Amino acid sequence: MNIKKRSIYLPLLLAVVAAGSFLLGNRLNKNAFVSIAESGLTSSGKINSILSLIANDYVDSVSMSDLEEKAIPQIVSNLDPHSVYIPAKEMQGVEEEMTGNFGGIGVQFTLQNDTVMVVDVISGGPSQKVGILPGDRIVRVDDTVIYGKKVTNQQVMQHLRGPKGTKVKVGIVRKGIRALLNFNIVRDEIPIYSVDVAYKIDNKTGFVKVSRFSDKTYDEFMVALKKLKSQGVQDLIIDLRGNPGGALNAVIQMANEFLGKNDLILFTKGNARPRSSVRADGRGIWKSGKIAVLIDEFSASASEIFAGAIQDNDRGTIIGRRSFGKGLVQEQIPLTDGSALRLTVARYYTPSGRSIQKPYNKGKADEYYKDIEKRYKHGEFTQKDSIKFSSSLKFKTKSGRTVYGGGGIMPDIFVGADTTGYSPFYNKVLQNGLIYEFAFSYADRNRDKLRNLHYPASFDQYLEKQKLFGQFLTYCKKKGVSPRSGDLKKSGSLIQTQLKALTTRNVIGDDGFYPLIQREDKTLVRAISVLEKK
């Protein structure tokens, strides 16, 4: 692998690993478990004896609850990488991720120039009802000023989110209006969507992007499938790249839509859990038609279950790069103080018998998550031949094709990470966030004109006429970043596509972004080609 490409690409990958690792062990079934007191796990032992001695005989007064909060994570950390203790204060975020909604005001925002800027307003949500618009600046929430260099995304969300039915006063600065606008908003349940977009690529091919698996994913997915079917779509590309997993029921229901009656979807087994198999019921609405599933190194857990079921049943083609390798089953056991223990109780297996889980050493979670970095350095992201499988890990699909176990799902067609458009100039504008910054600024300044455009193709044509790329280069120069000889030849097309796609997203959302960005998406382009030839 080219060393320069590695140095550009690695920091981005590590950032994604850090951002996504928390989500890999999402809860599977919130109704299946009892409290710790009801489960009978109250027998005395050495740990209880030590705590009792400290409570009764220690020289100073101590908080026993603080000791427990510090001791429990240490105990659990000596198990597998996905068993985890969840403190009560973190449970709300976990619940929101899994249920697919939270209490809030219904805006998408970005922090730019030390200001909270509204990118979009959720249709039918609390903010839209009172008249907040894309492009508004939120400068005050109740009595708290929220602009300046010290403001973070987390702080903004803490102010804007809250229980359904509670009231919040939001101060808005709007272009063209000098006075501060104040809106009294009643918070409501705001959906966290799992299906980012579903659109028709060509006359017979549809595309669906699923970014997570929550309790509402299957319902969203069915809406997408039915929409595409009504548009005459016959073949389907399902994008699970970067999807860290989540609710088990959602992925089982999704896989069921594509498989024949009694086709095995997965099975699980563990030391204290007998084998349990899940099979398709044959009532799916997409049992015919070609399928391609896109995965990468950040596709984990439920994403791997879906890809494995499609691959092992020879139902479709898996395209991309080897998935993460998270195949451990967690049960989330609620504790009496509102905290929970998420305990690994079994392993997932694909229909052919492959374990999805990659190897790990107990008590060494840091080493486990650095596996992605090791893969990258080893060249696995760009070269298929760098991936070696033991002959002892060979398995057979339904039709007799050879597939491999040992951690993650290896795609049928490998597409390496594309760094052909990378250059020193592109690297600098990416690191400084200049493409995103300029796209938002341009959309914000020209929002009235852009609102009249409703389709990605319309944005593409309009922005081309406005010579957006030239404006961007001028913007970069003012920021002290200029291209060197050869940089634009290498990166020009990539940057122009990203500028158009991001500008469009700032006006009409992901429905505009994905159709424009696909021309630079080598994995998606390959999937379209594969389906055309089959």
Side-chain angles (χ1 to χ4, degrees):
M1 174 196 271
N2 186 291
I3 298 298
K4 290 183 179 179
K5 291 181 181 178
R6 284 184 180 175
S7 65
I8 293 169
Y9 195 52
L10 182 56
L12 303 176
L13 293 171
L14 295 180
V16 177
V17 172
S21 61
F22 172 75
L23 297 171
L24 296 174
N26 274 343
R27 178 166 57 88
L28 302 177
N29 190 336
K30 64 180 179 181
N31 299 316
F33 316 111
V34 297
S35 73
I36 195 73
E38 296 170 324
S39 69
L41 300 178
T42 57
S43 60
S44 61
K46 187 182 291 187
I47 293 174
N48 285 340
S49 297
I50 291 172
L51 290 175
S52 179
L53 286 168
I54 294 171
N56 295 323
D57 298 322
Y58 186 62
V59 62
D60 297 320
S61 62
V62 294
S63 169
M64 299 308 294
S65 61
D66 285 350
L67 280 181
E68 289 175 347
E69 289 297 308
K70 293 176 181 178
I72 294 171
Q74 289 297 316
I75 294 171
V76 177
S77 70
N78 286 287
L79 303 175
D80 64 276
H82 297 291
S83 289
V84 64
Y85 169 69
I86 308 170
K89 63 182 180 181
E90 295 179 11
M91 283 301 296
Q92 181 180 348
V94 173
E95 293 294 325
E96 289 173 353
E97 186 67 35
M98 293 305 298
T99 58
N101 56 59
F102 62 91
I105 69 169
V107 297
Q108 295 177 11
F109 68 88
T110 184
L111 280 174
Q112 196 154 322
N113 299 322
D114 305 323
T115 304
V116 181
M117 299 186 177
V118 177
V119 175
D120 199 6
V121 181
I122 293 176
S123 178
S127 290
Q128 189 190 59
K129 289 177 181 178
V130 300
I132 291 177
L133 301 173
D136 284 347
R137 276 72 166 159
I138 301 176
V139 297
R140 185 181 291 273
V141 180
D142 290 328
D143 296 324
T144 304
V145 174
I146 57 166
Y147 64 85
K149 292 184 178 180
K150 294 183 179 180
V151 177
T152 66
N153 279 302
Q154 187 64 32
Q155 290 171 334
V156 176
M157 287 191 288
Q158 287 175 351
H159 286 298
L160 297 181
R161 290 188 177 187
K164 177 182 177 181
T166 57
K167 296 180 180 179
V168 61
K169 185 178 181 181
V170 175
I172 294 287
V173 171
R174 182 173 292 168
K175 276 190 173 183
I177 300 177
R178 290 187 176 183
L180 182 71
L181 302 176
N182 290 301
F183 296 88
N184 293 305
I185 305 172
V186 179
R187 295 184 178 98
D188 202 348
E189 285 191 357
I190 308 301
I192 304 173
Y193 292 108
S194 305
V195 177
D196 291 350
V197 70
Y199 69 94
K200 191 175 178 180
I201 290 177
D202 55 38
N203 289 335
K204 64 173 186 175
T205 308
F207 174 86
V208 183
K209 171 70 175 177
V210 183
S211 58
R212 64 174 63 83
F213 287 94
S214 73
D215 294 343
K216 296 183 178 180
T217 299
Y218 174 68
D219 292 337
E220 293 178 41
F221 188 70
M222 290 307 294
V223 170
L225 286 193
K226 290 173 182 177
K227 177 183 109 172
L228 293 173
K229 263 192 174 293
S230 70
Q231 295 174 348
V233 166
Q234 300 171 30
D235 304 330
L236 198 61
I237 298 171
I238 302 168
D239 189 354
L240 300 181
R241 289 173 295 177
N243 184 322
L248 177 61
N249 286 340
V251 71
I252 289 173
Q253 289 174 305
M254 266 182 56
N256 187 67
E257 295 301 321
F258 301 95
L259 300 175
K261 189 172 183 179
N262 291 324
D263 281 346
L264 186 61
I265 297 174
L266 81 154
F267 66 91
T268 63
K269 59 182 179 180
N271 187 49
R273 303 297 169 100
R275 173 169 169 155
S276 177
S277 300
V278 180
R279 295 183 178 275
D281 62 16
R283 293 184 290 181
I285 68 168
W286 211 293
K287 291 183 291 183
S288 61
K290 293 174 285 189
I291 301 170
V293 180
L294 312 186
I295 61 171
D296 65 9
E297 53 278 353
F298 301 113
S299 304
S301 190
S303 297
E304 296 172 291
I305 290 171
F306 185 87
I310 296 298
Q311 187 177 50
D312 285 5
N313 283 291
D314 297 299
R315 178 62 187 87
T317 305
I318 313 302
I319 302 174
R321 298 187 293 279
R322 182 161 68 105
S323 61
F324 183 89
K326 194 275 183 184
L328 297 176
V329 183
Q330 284 78 49
E331 289 184 355
Q332 185 161 299
I333 306 167
L335 307 179
T336 54
D337 67 344
S339 61
L341 176 65
R342 183 183 293 154
L343 186 67
T344 296
V345 297
R347 293 176 184 269
Y348 293 119
Y349 295 86
T350 70
S352 67
R354 291 181 289 167
S355 171
I356 297 171
Q357 182 62 42
K358 63 185 176 183
Y360 62 88
N361 293 317
K362 290 182 179 179
K364 295 185 178 180
D366 288 346
E367 178 184 286
Y368 175 77
Y369 285 109
K370 285 182 179 178
D371 172 64
I372 295 291
E373 181 182 349
K374 290 179 181 177
R375 290 194 209 177
Y376 172 75
K377 289 180 177 178
H378 189 247
E380 183 173 321
F381 290 1
T382 55
Q383 300 169 11
K384 180 181 179 180
D385 292 344
S386 68
I387 309 168
K388 306 297 182 184
F389 293 101
S390 169
S391 58
S392 64
L393 296 174
K394 282 185 179 181
F395 294 82
K396 296 293 183 182
T397 68
K398 196 173 183 179
S399 68
R401 290 189 304 119
T402 298
V403 289
Y404 289 90
I409 301 295
M410 184 66 189
D412 300 307
I413 297 174
F414 177 86
V415 180
D418 181 27
T419 59
T420 55
Y422 279 61
S423 67
F425 175 67
Y426 179 73
N427 189 35
K428 286 180 182 178
V429 299
L430 207 62
Q431 289 174 343
N432 289 284
L434 297 183
I435 298 176
Y436 181 88
E437 191 178 285
F438 175 83
F440 180 85
S441 177
Y442 182 87
D444 193 44
R445 294 194 315 271
N446 297 278
R447 198 172 295 276
D448 290 340
K449 295 177 182 177
L450 296 173
R451 278 198 187 104
N452 296 321
L453 307 172
H454 303 290
Y455 303 102
S458 303
F459 279 86
D460 190 12
Q461 294 165 9
Y462 177 81
L463 294 174
E464 188 69 34
K465 291 178 181 178
Q466 305 311 306
K467 298 181 179 179
L468 195 66
F469 188 52
Q471 294 185 48
F472 173 69
L473 293 178
T474 302
Y475 179 82
C476 290
K477 189 175 182 179
K478 291 179 180 177
K479 295 284 185 175
V481 180
S482 297
R484 297 185 303 185
S485 176
D487 282 352
L488 296 186
K489 184 177 181 181
K490 195 170 188 180
S491 304
S493 175
L494 176 61
I495 294 173
Q496 289 186 66
T497 298
Q498 290 183 356
L499 284 170
K500 291 179 181 178
L502 287 168
T503 301
T504 305
R505 173 184 264 169
N506 284 318
V507 182
I508 62 173
D510 283 337
D511 286 342
F513 173 81
Y514 281 99
L516 291 183
I517 205 69
Q518 76 175 44
R519 68 186 62 164
E520 293 292 339
D521 186 342
K522 298 298 188 288
T523 305
L524 178 54
V525 170
R526 183 66 182 277
I528 295 169
S529 173
V530 168
L531 293 184
E532 286 176 349
K533 292 177 182 177
K534 274 199 162 191

